[in-house]
Amino acid sequence: MKRKLIVYAALTASLAVLACGCSSSQKKGVDALENGEYEEAVSQFEALAQSDGSEEAADGYLGLGMTYYEMEDYGNALSAFLQAADNGARLSVQTYNLMGICAMQTGDYAAALDHIQSGLALMSTSDGADKAGAGLVQEMKYNEIICCERLADWENAKQKAAEYLEEYPDDKDVQKEAEFLETR
């Protein structure tokens, strides 16, 4: 449940950015997404993604990514987020996290690790430092450990787990992961 709340917070933050100075399709898409009307949101964001302006297209793809994510269509969500980036969207820490989760859900742990690490790297910039809550950062660091494990990169998984536990010593799940990793 905690992770679902973190994802919801990330979506809300992304929607707020998306809704600024929006076109008709953008506003209708955001409203539909907020109301759980996913097919309508897809329709509006697709129209926006097909627009001539790359900024509008990028916003349309971001909206599509968020909508597909909410629909648990992780492959299409990731594809839309990548197209947003290709159209010049400025990706946030939250968006990188969603991309990482999508890649994990599709079994592409190498891509997931890249997205998560890109988001964490953005945290060290002035652009990212103010925009990601502690819960989101913790989730990303946890998922980084899981990706390393799934890639059988035991040394990095051990290192990431140790670093994580220094910062979050009460996390029972990662304590168990660290014990498991010691057997590898």
Side-chain angles (χ1 to χ4, degrees):
M1 181 59 112
K2 175 181 152 190
R3 299 220 191 282
K4 183 68 174 172
L5 292 175
I6 292 169
V7 170
Y8 181 75
L11 287 171
T12 303
S14 296
L15 285 173
V17 170
L18 193 59
C20 294
C22 42
S23 68
S24 176
S25 289
Q26 193 171 18
K27 177 157 179 27
K28 288 177 184 176
V30 169
D31 290 345
L33 179 55
E34 287 177 339
N35 292 320
E37 299 165 355
Y38 300 129
E39 296 305 320
E40 177 63 19
V42 166
S43 176
Q44 294 300 325
F45 288 131
E46 280 179 343
L48 190 60
Q50 300 307 314
S51 65
D52 291 334
S54 63
E55 186 174 321
E56 287 180 339
D59 289 345
Y61 285 118
L62 281 174
L64 281 169
M66 287 181 272
T67 303
Y68 286 131
Y69 183 89
E70 281 296 296
M71 295 170 69
E72 298 181 2
D73 183 350
Y74 301 111
N76 279 329
L78 183 55
S79 177
F81 287 133
L82 292 171
Q83 289 198 314
D86 288 346
N87 278 279
R90 201 164 149 224
L91 300 180
S92 66
V93 174
Q94 293 87 349
T95 306
Y96 279 116
N97 182 52
L98 294 176
M99 292 169 70
I101 293 169
C102 289
M104 288 175 73
Q105 291 292 328
T106 62
D108 188 348
Y109 292 97
L113 186 58
D114 285 343
H115 297 309
I116 291 165
Q117 289 177 336
S118 293
L120 290 171
L122 186 58
M123 287 294 303
S124 65
T125 69
S126 60
D127 288 347
D130 303 329
K131 297 180 182 170
L136 177 64
V137 173
Q138 183 176 359
E139 176 183 354
M140 292 174 77
K141 289 180 178 184
Y142 175 84
N143 286 338
E144 187 177 32
I145 297 165
I146 300 304
C147 288
C148 288
E149 283 184 8
R150 295 295 176 114
L151 293 168
D153 184 354
W154 307 117
E155 288 307 312
N156 276 323
K158 285 179 196 178
Q159 178 187 347
K160 299 292 181 188
E163 291 169 2
Y164 180 98
L165 287 172
E166 284 179 24
E167 203 167 344
Y168 313 103
D170 297 331
D171 190 320
K172 302 288 186 212
D173 291 335
V174 177
Q175 289 173 1
K176 289 179 186 175
E177 289 296 324
E179 287 175 20
F180 164 76
L181 289 168
E182 288 305 315
T183 68
R184 298 286 165 199

